[in-house]
Amino acid sequence: MLNLRGRHLVSPSDLTLAEIDSIIALAQDMQRQRGNYSELCRGKILATLFYEPSTRTKLSFESAMLRMGGSILGFSDANASAVAKGESLADTIRVMDAYADIIVLRHPKEGAPKLASAYSRVPIVNGGDGGHQHPTQTLTDLLTIQAYKGRCSDLSVAFCGDLRYGRTVHSLIETLVRYPGGKFYLISPEELVLPLRLREYLQRTSSCQIIECRSMEDVLPHIDILYMTRIQKERFFNEADYLRLKNSYILDAAKLSLAKQDLVVMHPLPRVNEIAYEVDADPRAAYFAQAEYGVYVRMSLMAHLLGVTS
Ligand code: NCD
């Protein structure tokens, strides 16, 4: 196990591939033998500070800490905290680290977790910052890919939907291109292509193939993984654009029949309309298993950052 004690996780690039492997390996063991870890975080406190809505990220972190014998506190409605009185994030963080051993922060402003990490004496974990990054979803996704495919390299992966504002896509693609042999299809409407900064970064740093396209049907027969995403309504400036784009891509059984038998369909959830309910019964649908993997990977991540892996 590698030593990550006291580190922050703001962006997936904060972790080397060896560190990611270490987190995934422990998560796999935690899944196999959960009972062995039920006292690992006894006496530790997790604070979840959520300035934006969440179901899975917040609750899977809390479940993960409780399953390791630790305790949890926090808020999911910033208006019920001192933020409503005008308190700055820096001041909130300055006191929070006296109340908890590790902090997960979700915030609508890009860069908020980075700022928080400058003021915190305990590990800050980015639970999603605006349309920017979502590194713990990436760890969840990598554990899922590892479970279904046995590897994270040499895979053809399509990202489909809102690639502009989808922070889970940004973090995952930035990480997957660090593994060799990947081929990536970016399927989105013209208005929702991957941000230029990220596209340039991918071109500069990776030897992987990146193919932009508009049609899901053209790509489906060629891929190993389909990563569907929700159009991020809350990041749009006007509702008319959202309404026009919201049903751009819908995966249904007919489209899925074009794909390989061992395709893996992933989605960070929540889904709105982009995967028809009929797809849920298909063995290729991995999104509910993916949400479960999120608990094990967060157990492992917290054990690493708290320095209590064994
Ligand atoms: C994602 C998020 O918050 O970015 N949800 C999650 O954490 N599983 C995806 C989304 O909201 O579309």
Side-chain angles (χ1 to χ4, degrees):
M1 246 13 94
L2 295 180
N3 185 1
L4 298 178
R5 186 188 192 123
R7 294 254 299 268
H8 305 292
L9 177 58
V10 171
S11 151
S13 60
D14 293 337
L15 296 170
T16 65
L17 288 189
E19 289 166 346
I20 290 174
D21 285 349
S22 180
I23 293 167
I24 287 180
L26 181 61
Q28 286 168 327
D29 198 61
M30 287 171 151
Q31 180 181 17
R32 277 191 299 266
Q33 327 196 53
R34 205 168 71 196
N36 288 357
Y37 298 94
S38 59
E39 295 294 317
L40 203 59
C41 287
R42 179 71 59 204
K44 302 287 185 197
I45 300 176
L46 160 70
T48 49
L49 310 187
F50 276 58
Y51 294 77
E52 262 195 349
S54 168
T55 301
R56 270 149 294 266
T57 303
K58 182 170 185 295
L59 297 183
S60 64
F61 262 111
E62 293 177 352
S63 169
M65 183 49 97
L66 294 170
R67 288 195 188 289
M68 295 190 292
S71 309
I72 56 171
L73 51 82
F75 57 77
S76 50
D77 176 8
N79 290 323
S81 76
V83 173
K85 302 180 187 173
E87 187 173 50
S88 70
L89 178 63
D91 283 0
T92 304
I93 295 295
R94 274 198 183 110
V95 297
M96 262 304 143
D97 64 13
Y99 304 169
D101 301 292
I102 183 165
I103 297 171
V104 181
L105 173 68
R106 171 170 286 191
H107 203 283
K109 283 216 180 87
E110 301 192 359
K114 180 88 193 153
L115 178 101
S117 70
Y119 289 95
S120 178
R121 286 168 295 166
V122 301
I124 294 283
V125 177
N126 180 358
D129 60 327
H132 189 214
Q133 297 276 19
H134 195 341
T136 69
Q137 182 64 45
T138 296
L139 294 173
T140 302
D141 299 339
L142 295 176
L143 178 60
T144 308
I145 293 171
Q146 189 67 40
Y148 279 83
K149 291 291 179 193
R151 63 185 196 280
C152 293
S153 55
D154 301 302
L155 290 168
S156 291
V157 183
F159 292 89
C160 180
D162 188 345
L163 310 189
R164 178 173 180 190
Y165 298 117
R167 57 194 176 194
T168 63
V169 170
H170 302 163
S171 289
L172 181 56
I173 192 161
E174 183 187 312
T175 309
L176 276 179
V177 295
R178 293 157 72 190
Y179 291 88
K183 189 167 180 181
F184 300 98
Y185 295 90
L186 306 177
I187 314 168
S188 74
E190 182 78 48
E191 292 99 317
L192 299 178
V193 296
L194 212 60
L196 186 61
R197 195 169 30 93
L198 187 53
R199 272 190 287 164
E200 285 175 352
Y201 167 81
L202 298 180
Q203 274 153 13
R204 245 192 349 264
T205 56
S206 95
S207 55
C208 300
Q209 292 184 59
I210 309 236
I211 302 143
E212 276 200 59
C213 39
R214 304 277 162 261
S215 154
M216 180 198 251
E217 287 87 334
D218 290 353
V219 170
L220 271 170
H222 309 294
I223 54 176
D224 304 308
I225 291 169
L226 175 61
Y227 194 92
M228 293 296 294
T229 60
R230 169 179 76 87
I231 306 293
Q232 305 280 299
K233 182 179 181 187
E234 65 276 35
R235 316 263 177 243
F236 277 69
F237 291 105
N238 80 64
E239 194 171 1
D241 285 346
Y242 170 71
L243 293 174
R244 186 166 47 79
L245 294 169
K246 71 175 185 169
N247 289 330
S248 299
Y249 299 100
I250 298 177
L251 179 68
D252 56 19
K255 289 197 191 106
L256 197 53
S257 70
L258 303 169
K260 293 183 190 171
Q261 277 315 310
D262 62 350
L263 174 75
V264 180
V265 181
M266 297 173 61
H267 192 307
L269 302 177
R271 91 174 123 183
V272 181
N273 221 4
E274 54 281 349
I275 302 181
Y277 283 90
E278 65 191 16
V279 172
D280 298 356
D282 192 293
R284 290 170 285 188
Y287 30 93
F288 292 116
Q290 185 182 351
E292 184 184 333
Y293 288 125
V295 177
Y296 304 115
V297 104
R298 289 175 173 114
M299 285 171 71
S300 171
L301 174 68
M302 286 191 287
H304 274 85
L305 301 183
L306 291 168
V308 294
T309 45
S310 56

